[in-house]
Amino acid sequence: MAKDPVCGMIVDEKRALNSDIGGRTFYFCSPVCQKTFLEPEKELAKMKKRMYVAASGALALAIIRAGAYIALAAGAIAFTWVPFPEIPFLSYGLLLFFIVTPVQFIGGWSFYVGAFHAIKRRTANMDLLISIGTLTAYIYSTIVLFFPDVIPTEEKYVYFEVSAVIIAFVLFGKYMEEAIKKKSSAAVRKLLDLKPAMATVIKNGNEVQIPANQVEIGYIMIVKPGEKIPTDGIVVEGESSVDEKMITGESLPVGKTKGDEVIGATVNKHGLLKVKATKVGKETALSQIIHIVEQAQASTAKVQRLADSISAKFVPAVVITSVLTFVIWTFVLGDLVSGILTFVAVLIIACPCALGVATPAALMVGVGKGAESGILIRGAEYLERSQKVNTIVFDKTGTLTKGEPEVTDVVTFGTLSEKQIVEFAGAVESGSEHPIAQAVVKRAKMERATFPNLDKFEALNGLGVKAIVNGTSVYAGNRKMMKKFTIPTESVEEKMSRLESEGKTAIMVAINSKVVGIIAVADSLKESSPNAITALKDLGIECMMITGDNEKTAKAIAKSVGIEKVIANVLPSDKAVEIKKLQSEGKVVAMVGDGINDAPALAQADIGIAIGSGSDIAKETGGIILIKDDVMDVSRAIKLSRATMKKIKQNLFWAFAYNSGAIPIAAIGLLSPILAAAAMALSSISVIANSSLLKRYKITSGEEKLFPMKTINSSTREKTIEITH
């Protein structure tokens, strides 16, 4: 039995489709899987064979030429290079002809196909230049060899080696390009390899092993310690920690218990988990990530479209230049051989191969680098836009804050302790489903509080809750509630106002007719939010916050993270309108939100940056998706985008400068066709190598230096916002 490398299905080796690559046999359950896996492998293998044919021919020519020079030096006139006696010349020429012909038509076949399709589309490309140049050298040499009287010159040279070496050099450059592209896509291939082959599910009360790709929504899966979770789901039983590094980039295992979501392909570290499958196939986080990365790597940026447009005009201009060069050398200067050689040299040196790979090479490396760190860039256009962003607007809840209210302060008035205040408040709030109530209950449980008996519970909409606790009336609510039950609040007003000025929701706790304490609840800041804003400001980006909260509360949270400009009292449906206003002022705006409620604003912004867990990846609408719930990744994504675009611009500049600068040198006869081919191939390889340097780029580099020993203390974390209802 074997595993399909694409879908992970276990297949019978005798019946399955199979293919051999690099000495290893792969088995596939269907032609679709086979095609998905093998197409890039086959193309690379075909190119490798063509390169071997060309390289073998070029090597043979080099050996023969070296032998000829040695023979010449030894005085063996019959093997001298020029002039040849008639029979030795024919023998030598035939030898070169038989060596070069396979190189010309096997090694160079892909160039002729590309040139043919370009002519059919009435366009001009790099393959056309190579085809014209190599065929010119080959046909001229063939005519000189077999029909010497056709060419009106006494010098009988053959330039078969020019054609062969050019094809060898260019193929080597293209092979290196494809190999590096394949390596740059390794992040996607590694993700594919993460898929587990088998899953243990419960059927009819028994544990049964089935192929992981046959798991359906609703199946209960058993995941033992050390096993991969077969697909996305929710824990229904058990406690454990899960290693999610391969998906989120987070190095530490994440604790999981009943009700928590888990991501397919992550590793269960310790306890036994029972997981209910919620997403399968293309809907899983892993499949969505793979799809996004593949789309991004295949997309085309404006800068690449500009390069393609220039190439379409550049190639005809080069052909015209090469023809003029040939005419001047042949008919003005009277040197046919030099005319042919300069014609070929101009065509080859001008070939903008480096231009063709300048953008894709850097793009693939940049997108792959981001994917490894949990930063998914949906396409080249988002890379291009992000480098121009000068304003970033942050959603508040769930983006800068944790999105979960929690108790920040407990203030007592009288003889009761903080724990007793929390016990009474927790008892009456336990009957409510309101987020503030749940925050109080959660704090009470953390304090290991014992809830007294509850009687006559009543929830008053917009005011709070009341109940009888062990025969005593207990109230938990706002000023309006205290006023309703004629409970005086003058003595606690100063404390209430101070807490509210910090952006907290203050809940008064009263027993019978007296306020005995205040519990402050707030949506706490994420620890990384202040650092994230500082990092963006260091990049010269203006930061703003948009929220539905009142201005006082919004300014409190904004101040604590270092944001000066706040757009408050905005409904979710109106956030896109506010983004549009900023754009009308000439700002290039990025919107950072959770990708669900903020979808209209994310779509309206020049670039939407969605923050969310890997399991929500299918719902995100941003151009850049940050899998980890870390706001620092916003600045990291911007820096990665800038670094990638910088590489693209470097590549394009050198590709244009190199080709344009070398044409006059070739036209005046100072650059032979062979040297032109070598230089042209090296230019492509240098562009690829420059792009590959992005792999060494550290996305988090410099942050430790920028923020040495910077921590967020509890008082800073508690400067949080009011929960709106």
Side-chain angles (χ1 to χ4, degrees), residues 19 150 157 233 258 484:
S19 292
V150 174
Y157 292 88
K258 186 177 179 179
K484 179 179 176 65

Side-chain angles (χ1 to χ4, degrees), residues 86-135:
E86 219 170 286
I87 295 177
F89 168 73
L90 184 59
S91 302
Y92 184 81
L94 284 171
L95 179 62
L96 297 185
F97 175 79
F98 287 120
I99 291 174
V100 170
T101 299
V103 176
Q104 187 76 38
F105 297 105
I106 296 177
W109 180 252
S110 59
F111 302 129
Y112 308 139
V113 172
F116 174 73
H117 288 304
I119 292 169
K120 279 182 65 177
R121 294 193 301 269
R122 297 182 180 180
T123 61
N125 62 8
M126 294 168 279
D127 290 335
L128 185 61
L129 291 185
I130 297 168
S131 298
I132 294 173
T134 56
L135 283 172

Side-chain angles (χ1 to χ4, degrees), residues 221 229-234 262-265 275-280 283-286 614-615 617:
M221 303 174 289
I229 297 170
T231 191
D232 294 7
I234 187 168
V262 291
I263 306 171
V275 178
K276 182 180 180 180
T278 56
K279 293 177 184 177
V280 296
E283 297 302 317
T284 64
L286 182 62
S615 58
I617 201 74

